[in-house]
Amino acid sequence: MNIQPLLDALGIQEDAARALADDLRTRIGELQVRLREAEIHLEHLAITRKTVTALADRLPTVPPVLPEHPDYPRILAVFNEAPGPLRARDVCEALDRELLPKNIEGTCAKLKCLVKLDILTEADTGSFTRKQ
């Protein structure tokens, strides 16, 4: 019985398996390099996030730009003196405005504008406070 053809077939399969293993080792090496690069990039991003967060606390706060109307600084002065939440009616009184619906509604609209500018908060409906 001649087993040489069987051994030749096994040799061909071994060569193919060896070539596949070599190819896979090469790919694994390339993937390890790419993985290390991605890990380094992630480390850099984490350091950047930490640095930016630390610096953000040191940045001076920029005062918001108020709409061009003389009432806004006066309204803010009222809130700076107020011990608690104020309603539009209270602000009208502090500004020596007549307590007419048009004045109260106009003041309420200005207060809501200051809420949108993130200067005031509306604690309850119609009750405003200075944002901390």
Side-chain angles (χ1 to χ4, degrees):
M1 176 159 146
N2 188 4
I3 62 167
Q4 192 57 44
L6 179 60
L7 293 175
D8 290 342
L10 283 173
I12 292 171
Q13 287 184 0
E14 284 176 340
D15 290 343
R18 194 172 291 110
L20 177 62
D22 289 343
D23 183 49
L24 290 174
R25 281 188 201 96
T26 302
R27 285 188 190 172
I28 288 171
E30 292 168 354
L31 289 173
Q32 285 176 329
V33 168
R34 289 179 59 194
L35 175 62
R36 183 64 193 137
E37 289 171 353
E39 288 172 340
I40 289 170
H41 185 66
L42 279 171
E43 288 173 14
H44 290 168
L45 290 173
I47 291 167
T48 302
R49 177 182 295 281
K50 186 176 180 181
T51 303
V52 168
T53 303
L55 291 175
D57 295 338
R58 297 181 191 171
L59 293 175
T61 56
V62 178
V65 178
L66 295 176
E68 299 220 7
H69 191 283
D71 281 349
Y72 286 100
R74 295 178 63 212
I75 290 171
L76 291 180
V78 170
F79 276 95
N80 288 337
E81 300 295 321
L86 297 173
R87 302 184 75 71
R89 179 183 191 88
D90 303 325
V91 175
C92 280
E93 284 182 54
L95 295 176
D96 293 324
R97 296 266 164 78
E98 285 187 71
L99 297 179
L100 299 173
K102 68 176 185 172
N103 292 339
I104 294 170
E105 290 167 8
T107 301
C108 187
K110 289 180 179 83
L111 296 177
K112 288 191 182 283
C113 178
L114 291 172
V115 169
K116 287 182 183 175
L117 291 172
D118 211 29
I119 298 171
L120 298 181
T121 57
E122 191 169 6
D124 294 320
T125 303
S127 180
F128 300 89
T129 58
R130 185 79 191 239
K131 191 158 191 168
Q132 299 299 327

